[in-house]
PDB file of all heavy atoms in Angstrom:
ATOM      1  N   THR A 506       8.026 171.268  98.303  1.00 97.00           N
ATOM      2  CA  THR A 506       9.363 171.873  98.313  1.00 97.00           C
ATOM      3  C   THR A 506      10.105 171.514  99.595  1.00 97.00           C
ATOM      4  O   THR A 506      11.313 171.242  99.579  1.00 97.00           O
ATOM      5  CB  THR A 506       9.263 173.401  98.147  1.00 97.00           C
ATOM      6  OG1 THR A 506       8.451 173.668  97.018  1.00 97.00           O
ATOM      7  CG2 THR A 506      10.626 174.020  97.946  1.00 97.00           C
ATOM      8  N   HIS A 531      10.561 181.909 106.500  1.00 98.00           N
ATOM      9  CA  HIS A 531       9.575 181.238 107.362  1.00 98.00           C
ATOM     10  C   HIS A 531       8.193 181.214 106.726  1.00 98.00           C
ATOM     11  O   HIS A 531       7.173 181.372 107.383  1.00 98.00           O
ATOM     12  CB  HIS A 531       9.564 181.846 108.761  1.00 98.00           C
ATOM     13  CG  HIS A 531       9.003 183.248 108.896  1.00 98.00           C
ATOM     14  ND1 HIS A 531       8.898 184.128 107.834  1.00 98.00           N
ATOM     15  CD2 HIS A 531       8.512 183.889 109.983  1.00 98.00           C
ATOM     16  CE1 HIS A 531       8.372 185.258 108.286  1.00 98.00           C
ATOM     17  NE2 HIS A 531       8.131 185.139 109.583  1.00 98.00           N
ATOM     18  N   SER A 532       8.158 180.964 105.396  1.00 97.00           N
ATOM     19  CA  SER A 532       6.857 180.868 104.732  1.00 97.00           C
ATOM     20  C   SER A 532       6.179 179.550 105.119  1.00 97.00           C
ATOM     21  O   SER A 532       6.833 178.592 105.535  1.00 97.00           O
ATOM     22  CB  SER A 532       7.025 180.937 103.216  1.00 97.00           C
ATOM     23  OG  SER A 532       7.631 179.763 102.738  1.00 97.00           O
ATOM     24  N   VAL A 535       7.396 176.713 102.531  1.00 97.00           N
ATOM     25  CA  VAL A 535       8.772 176.189 102.544  1.00 97.00           C
ATOM     26  C   VAL A 535       9.413 176.260 103.940  1.00 97.00           C
ATOM     27  O   VAL A 535       9.659 175.225 104.559  1.00 97.00           O
ATOM     28  CB  VAL A 535       9.700 176.903 101.528  1.00 97.00           C
ATOM     29  CG1 VAL A 535      10.953 176.058 101.295  1.00 97.00           C
ATOM     30  CG2 VAL A 535       9.040 177.206 100.200  1.00 97.00           C
ATOM     31  N   HIS A 554      14.327 184.977 109.491  1.00 98.00           N
ATOM     32  CA  HIS A 554      13.393 185.605 108.549  1.00 98.00           C
ATOM     33  C   HIS A 554      13.743 187.080 108.422  1.00 98.00           C
ATOM     34  O   HIS A 554      14.796 187.507 108.929  1.00 98.00           O
ATOM     35  CB  HIS A 554      11.956 185.384 109.014  1.00 98.00           C
ATOM     36  CG  HIS A 554      11.790 185.589 110.473  1.00 98.00           C
ATOM     37  ND1 HIS A 554      11.812 186.832 111.043  1.00 98.00           N
ATOM     38  CD2 HIS A 554      11.687 184.689 111.490  1.00 98.00           C
ATOM     39  CE1 HIS A 554      11.686 186.702 112.342  1.00 98.00           C
ATOM     40  NE2 HIS A 554      11.614 185.410 112.646  1.00 98.00           N
ATOM     41  N   LYS A 555      12.871 187.838 107.781  1.00 98.00           N
ATOM     42  CA  LYS A 555      13.268 189.208 107.466  1.00 98.00           C
ATOM     43  C   LYS A 555      13.393 190.095 108.701  1.00 98.00           C
ATOM     44  O   LYS A 555      13.974 191.172 108.618  1.00 98.00           O
ATOM     45  CB  LYS A 555      12.348 189.833 106.420  1.00 98.00           C
ATOM     46  CG  LYS A 555      10.939 190.041 106.839  1.00 98.00           C
ATOM     47  CD  LYS A 555      10.174 190.678 105.685  1.00 98.00           C
ATOM     48  CE  LYS A 555       8.694 190.585 105.942  1.00 98.00           C
ATOM     49  NZ  LYS A 555       7.889 190.687 104.761  1.00 98.00           N
ATOM     50  N   ALA A 573      15.374 179.831 101.830  1.00 98.00           N
ATOM     51  CA  ALA A 573      14.172 179.961 100.993  1.00 98.00           C
ATOM     52  C   ALA A 573      13.625 181.368 101.173  1.00 98.00           C
ATOM     53  O   ALA A 573      12.727 181.601 101.979  1.00 98.00           O
ATOM     54  CB  ALA A 573      13.138 178.916 101.394  1.00 98.00           C
ATOM     55  N   GLY A 575      14.213 184.213  98.258  1.00 98.00           N
ATOM     56  CA  GLY A 575      13.909 184.898  97.002  1.00 98.00           C
ATOM     57  C   GLY A 575      14.719 186.173  96.851  1.00 98.00           C
ATOM     58  O   GLY A 575      14.211 187.178  96.335  1.00 98.00           O
ATOM     59  N   LYS A 576      16.003 186.122  97.306  1.00 98.00           N
ATOM     60  CA  LYS A 576      16.906 187.278  97.149  1.00 98.00           C
ATOM     61  C   LYS A 576      18.264 186.753  96.683  1.00 98.00           C
ATOM     62  O   LYS A 576      18.987 186.101  97.451  1.00 98.00           O
ATOM     63  CB  LYS A 576      17.111 187.988  98.493  1.00 98.00           C
ATOM     64  CG  LYS A 576      15.983 188.895  98.912  1.00 98.00           C
ATOM     65  CD  LYS A 576      16.433 189.835 100.046  1.00 98.00           C
ATOM     66  CE  LYS A 576      15.505 190.997 100.243  1.00 98.00           C
ATOM     67  NZ  LYS A 576      14.113 190.674 100.498  1.00 98.00           N
ATOM     68  N   VAL A 594      16.891 176.957  98.128  1.00 98.00           N
ATOM     69  CA  VAL A 594      15.542 176.796  97.564  1.00 98.00           C
ATOM     70  C   VAL A 594      15.186 177.970  96.644  1.00 98.00           C
ATOM     71  O   VAL A 594      14.363 177.845  95.741  1.00 98.00           O
ATOM     72  CB  VAL A 594      14.503 176.677  98.714  1.00 98.00           C
ATOM     73  CG1 VAL A 594      13.089 176.530  98.163  1.00 98.00           C
ATOM     74  CG2 VAL A 594      14.839 175.506  99.629  1.00 98.00           C
ATOM     75  N   ILE A 596      14.665 180.932  93.955  1.00 96.00           N
ATOM     76  CA  ILE A 596      14.712 181.037  92.485  1.00 96.00           C
ATOM     77  C   ILE A 596      14.595 182.518  92.152  1.00 96.00           C
ATOM     78  O   ILE A 596      13.597 183.156  92.492  1.00 96.00           O
ATOM     79  CB  ILE A 596      13.547 180.289  91.807  1.00 96.00           C
ATOM     80  CG1 ILE A 596      13.530 178.815  92.220  1.00 96.00           C
ATOM     81  CG2 ILE A 596      13.642 180.413  90.285  1.00 96.00           C
ATOM     82  CD1 ILE A 596      12.330 178.043  91.672  1.00 96.00           C
ATOM     83  N   THR A 637      11.236 169.064  93.686  1.00 97.00           N
ATOM     84  CA  THR A 637       9.908 169.542  94.077  1.00 97.00           C
ATOM     85  C   THR A 637       8.847 168.979  93.126  1.00 97.00           C
ATOM     86  O   THR A 637       7.786 168.509  93.557  1.00 97.00           O
ATOM     87  CB  THR A 637       9.865 171.088  94.054  1.00 97.00           C
ATOM     88  OG1 THR A 637      10.807 171.567  95.004  1.00 97.00           O
ATOM     89  CG2 THR A 637       8.495 171.624  94.393  1.00 97.00           C
TER      90      THR A 637
HETATM   91  P1  LIG B1974       7.880 183.974 100.621  1.00 65.62           P
HETATM   92  O1  LIG B1974       7.983 185.287  99.955  1.00 65.62           O
HETATM   93  O2  LIG B1974       6.560 183.425 101.038  1.00 65.62           O
HETATM   94  O3  LIG B1974       8.806 183.983 101.927  1.00 65.62           O
HETATM   95  C1  LIG B1974      10.057 184.591 101.922  1.00 65.62           C
HETATM   96  C2  LIG B1974      10.673 184.445 103.286  1.00 65.62           C
HETATM   97  O4  LIG B1974      11.936 185.083 103.274  1.00 65.62           O
HETATM   98  C3  LIG B1974       9.869 185.076 104.418  1.00 65.62           C
HETATM   99  O5  LIG B1974       9.829 184.179 105.490  1.00 65.62           O
HETATM  100  C4  LIG B1974      10.683 186.326 104.786  1.00 65.62           C
HETATM  101  O6  LIG B1974      10.587 186.658 106.166  1.00 65.62           O
HETATM  102  C5  LIG B1974      12.084 185.880 104.446  1.00 65.62           C
HETATM  103  N1  LIG B1974      12.980 186.986 104.140  1.00 65.62           N
HETATM  104  C6  LIG B1974      12.775 188.037 103.304  1.00 65.62           C
HETATM  105  N2  LIG B1974      13.866 188.845 103.292  1.00 65.62           N
HETATM  106  C7  LIG B1974      14.766 188.284 104.125  1.00 65.62           C
HETATM  107  C8  LIG B1974      16.073 188.652 104.535  1.00 65.62           C
HETATM  108  N3  LIG B1974      16.663 189.737 104.050  1.00 65.62           N
HETATM  109  N4  LIG B1974      16.700 187.838 105.405  1.00 65.62           N
HETATM  110  C9  LIG B1974      16.128 186.727 105.893  1.00 65.62           C
HETATM  111  N5  LIG B1974      14.884 186.318 105.528  1.00 65.62           N
HETATM  112  C10 LIG B1974      14.218 187.092 104.659  1.00 65.62           C
HETATM  113  O7  LIG B1974       8.643 182.966  99.667  1.00 65.62           O
HETATM  114  P2  LIG B1974       8.546 181.362  99.490  1.00 65.62           P
HETATM  115  O8  LIG B1974       7.301 181.014  98.784  1.00 65.62           O
HETATM  116  O9  LIG B1974       8.893 180.672 100.759  1.00 65.62           O
HETATM  117  O10 LIG B1974       9.740 181.171  98.443  1.00 65.62           O
HETATM  118  C11 LIG B1974      11.062 181.512  98.788  1.00 65.62           C
HETATM  119  C12 LIG B1974      11.948 181.322  97.571  1.00 65.62           C
HETATM  120  O11 LIG B1974      11.920 179.950  97.208  1.00 65.62           O
HETATM  121  C13 LIG B1974      11.507 182.089  96.327  1.00 65.62           C
HETATM  122  O12 LIG B1974      12.660 182.462  95.606  1.00 65.62           O
HETATM  123  C14 LIG B1974      10.732 181.055  95.541  1.00 65.62           C
HETATM  124  O13 LIG B1974      10.744 181.325  94.139  1.00 65.62           O
HETATM  125  C15 LIG B1974      11.516 179.829  95.850  1.00 65.62           C
HETATM  126  N6  LIG B1974      10.760 178.590  95.719  1.00 65.62           N
HETATM  127  C16 LIG B1974      11.368 177.586  95.064  1.00 65.62           C
HETATM  128  C17 LIG B1974      10.729 176.373  94.908  1.00 65.62           C
HETATM  129  C18 LIG B1974      11.433 175.257  94.204  1.00 65.62           C
HETATM  130  O14 LIG B1974      10.829 174.305  93.826  1.00 65.62           O
HETATM  131  N7  LIG B1974      12.750 175.345  94.035  1.00 65.62           N
HETATM  132  C19 LIG B1974       9.439 176.199  95.412  1.00 65.62           C
HETATM  133  C20 LIG B1974       8.841 177.237  96.137  1.00 65.62           C
HETATM  134  C21 LIG B1974       9.520 178.435  96.284  1.00 65.62           C
END
Side-chain angles (χ1 to χ4, degrees):
T506 309
H531 70 339
S532 70
V535 197
H554 43 73
K555 65 180 166 202
K576 281 195 164 56
V594 179
I596 303 175
T637 298

